[in-house]
Amino acid sequence: MSVLRRVNDPTQPGGVARYTRLQRGFSESRSGIHLRETHVMMQIVKVIFAILFPPIAAFLQVGFSLHLVINILLTLLGGLPGMVHALWLVFTEK
């Protein structure tokens, strides 16, 4: 994932704007782009949900899919299998 950022190029006549590409994980304080910090915070939230409410973590990770149905069934069979499955989904970034 990358983000385009507009910058004014003083070498061009009239200060023509050009666009630079910021790669995922790049942090730039002036423009407020903090992709790495946002990704880490979302991972922490997903891990907390995986421990407390496994189907919610599965939904946040994969949306409405077969993995969500499997996680709901595993959670109904017992809390631990659903928790392990949700943690697996979060850590393997399915």
Side-chain angles (χ1 to χ4, degrees):
M1 177 181 156
S2 61
V3 177
L4 290 177
R5 178 181 64 123
R6 182 176 186 219
V7 292
N8 290 327
D9 191 358
T11 61
Q12 297 293 327
V16 175
R18 64 183 172 86
Y19 292 88
T20 59
R21 190 169 296 276
L22 302 176
Q23 294 299 323
R24 182 177 182 177
F26 185 86
S27 180
E28 183 176 330
S29 60
R30 279 185 51 207
S31 66
I33 298 173
H34 298 288
L35 295 175
R36 177 172 290 149
E37 290 83 1
T38 304
H39 179 70
V40 170
M41 288 302 295
M42 193 61 188
Q43 285 291 100
I44 292 171
V45 167
K46 287 178 190 176
V47 168
I48 291 170
F49 275 129
I51 293 169
L52 299 177
F53 306 110
I56 294 175
F59 173 74
L60 289 175
Q61 189 67 31
V62 296
F64 288 110
S65 68
L66 181 62
H67 282 291
L68 178 63
V69 174
I70 292 171
N71 190 272
I72 291 170
L73 292 174
L74 288 171
T75 303
L76 290 175
L77 289 174
L80 188 61
M83 184 187 323
V84 170
H85 182 255
L87 287 170
W88 176 72
L89 287 174
V90 170
F91 287 129
T92 58
E93 296 188 1
K94 289 282 181 187

